[in-house]
Amino acid sequence: MATAELVHEPRARSMAEGSPGPIGRDPNTRHFARVGWGFSSPAFGVIAAFTIFPIIFAVVLSFQNVNVTGSGFGLQGFTTANYHAMLTAGLWHHALWFTTIYTVVTVACELVLGTVFALVLERLTKGRGMMMALLLIPWSLITVISAELWSYIYNPTYGVLGEIWHVITGASPPNLLGYPLDATIALMFADIWKTTPFVAIIVLAGLVMIPTELFEAAEVDGATGWKTFWKVTVPLLRPTIGIAVLFRVLQAFGLFDLPYVLTGGGPGTSTQSLAMLGYNTMFTDINFGPGAAVAVSTAVIVLVMCLVFLRAFKQQVGKETISA
Amino acid sequence: MASISIEKVTKIYPNGFEAIHELDLDVADGEFMVLVGPSGCGKTTALRMVAGLEDITGGTLRIGDRIVNDVSSKDRDIAMVFQNYALYPHMTVAENIGFALKLRKIPKAEIKKKVEDAAAILGLTEWLDRKPGQLSGGQRQRVAMGRAIVREPSVFLMDEPLSNLDAKLRVQMRAEVARIQRRLNVATLYVTHDQVEAMTMGDRVAVMRAGLLQQCDKPQVLYDHPVNLFVAGFMGSPAMNLFDATLGEGAATALVGSQKLELPSSLHAIRPALKSYANRPVIIGIRPEDLPVAGDEPAAIDEAVYFEGDVELVEALGSELLVHFTTDAHRVEAEGAKDADSEGLSAGALTKGGEGVARVEPRSQLVVGRRVRFRIDPARFHFFDPASGLSITS
Ligand SMILES: Nc1ncnc2c1ncn2[C@@H]1O[C@H](COP(=O)(O)OP(=O)(O)OP(=O)(O)O)[C@@H](O)[C@H]1O
Ligand SMILES: [Mg+2]
């Protein structure tokens, strides 16, 4: 029987049950435990200083009246004005709207395309490694660099796309990044180009874990390729797809570098994501309180999304076993 | 319902390995055909070609009157039980069993009824809402059977469906599968490497070895008249005793080790071809149950032949004794006979150069280390040509 368990629950449990006994009794073990804590304490220190402290500090800032002067900034008392201003101003709403649409569209496209790529890759008998290497090039580029490349491609005066447009239509090319909708689509396109391979690799990993006999059984049962895909492949890929979506949604919601380089959030503020809004408010406008409020609000939204998502996929992520 | 006709079917895998060589096999409508052979002999390959899961390199495959070489497996109207069940892990037992029917757009109510009927036959009713992951191996095996039987296909294909079960459940399911097959009366090709299954379940048994069909006949015929050394050694547990021997002048005697057996003329009457082996080496075979201890044999034997050995080990099985004895004769190991021993009773026993096994009456008085004398009906001997391995039949 081919059994591929995604999470080895029994093992995890037995370790948890097996360990508490000896620790703490045997002086030797206690000594080792102390040494262990000693060795990990620098890491804990770093985490506390660079992760936990900033989070707490950001939350505190967002609820403070921050006064910035030439010699630093002072916290001048508790206030909810930062949040009030954020929720009533249009910028935050627009950024939230933009980021959400952007996330939904790119993740959906990447998922569909990535699955198609994975299915093709799985069929490939020859040159699979080679194809995978080629496919991963966009993913391996640093975003800022690929954004620069795309800005060259999109450039209306000397860009490749404009030139192609010119050759085909004879008209002078439009400024793609000059209109809100076009700029948004251009951003999404660059993102999909870059991240689809990542999704494809994850889905491929899930695909190869499904025992071949299941597809053969489906064929013998009389299922067409299409039926097999929807009734067998997709349900068995659900845990994998769930993880890919989780990763991608978290990443896409923190969108920053691509629009920062490619559009600068423009035209106007039409492609300004939540992360950019927070950054701009804090460091361009030097408005720490409202900036922190944007950052905290984004974090809360992401956190809620994760919880909802994990709840929805609770059955699949971790619990599902693929056994034939 | 239909028959399966395999004509000169050959399979060469992409890496150039010829797994099946010109296989000829006919399974009549309603017949239970067992395909048996040692590991790697091409049983699964043959079955998968019939199922349409493997391309046919050469030859013709017919299901009913239709040539199906190029028909995809979903259009062959077959049902297959996979060796490892291949149940859909995300579907409940009921959904697993009803999947093929659902694909055929059969009304829900009818599917439900058929699934429940199949579940009742297989004793799965209380597990219909479980997922395969929550079932025991035996239950999964029955679900796999259920998935096949609701279909009412024209052909059943089963690849070692009982191999994962414990001995007791296997015996139970053996009868169950045979019963279901009789009831549905569908041409069945059943793969196993267990010759007990082959003997007990098949209307006919086809023995394969290294991609070649050796013999295909009724189980008893296969057992009584194996065409060659391989089949002789493969069928039967414990396996047939095979010794090197030399026939004497006029084939009237056989020298087995240092013992000279007198071969009576009645034997020559049924095996005239033996004469041509006079003064030549042969391989002589005798099944363990054809070696009664002198004095204990059930009926008087005319012109009995005596054969002796030293008792080395006695295994008491209650209903019978398995006597392991040694002689100075040279024992011939038929290739593949070891694989057949999955339920072999003598599997644990030490084998020595001239060792043989006899299956004797439980009351026989035997003492380890003492000499034992067997009284053999000469008609029970098998003779094989040592060069070709073929049985010297006529
Ligand atoms: N895809 C393949 N490519 C090349 N050779 C293969 C392939 N599949 C099987 N073979 C070879 O073909 C031969 C027959 O394999 P097959 O699976 O039919 O054996 P089997 O009789 O079913 O054995 P078992 O009883 O162990 O299941 C084996 O020698 C095997 O190594
Ligand atoms: Mg096999």
Side-chain angles (χ1 to χ4, degrees), chain A residues 1-3 213-225 227-228 231-232 235-236 320-324, chain B residues 48 52-53 72-74 78-80 82 84-91 99-100 102-104 133 140 147 151 164:
Chain A
M1 185 186 64
T3 304
E213 300 90 52
L214 290 186
F215 300 120
E216 294 179 343
E219 199 186 341
V220 170
D221 271 345
T224 55
K227 280 273 185 206
T228 308
K231 299 281 180 194
V232 179
L236 293 180
E320 178 107 271
T321 55
I322 298 178
S323 68
Chain B
R48 288 173 57 85
L53 299 172
S72 81
S73 76
K74 69 180 187 326
I78 47 166
M80 182 157 171
F82 289 80
N84 43 20
Y85 318 140
L87 301 178
Y88 309 115
H90 56 293
M91 299 185 196
F99 186 58
K102 201 168 142 199
L103 290 170
R104 279 175 181 66
R140 286 183 209 182
R147 203 165 58 172
R151 295 266 310 279
N164 289 343

Side-chain angles (χ1 to χ4, degrees), chain A residues 223-241:
Chain A
T224 55
W226 186 250
K227 280 273 185 206
T228 308
F229 177 74
W230 286 109
K231 299 281 180 194
V232 179
T233 315
V234 169
L236 293 180
L237 276 181
R238 273 185 70 163
T240 315
I241 289 177

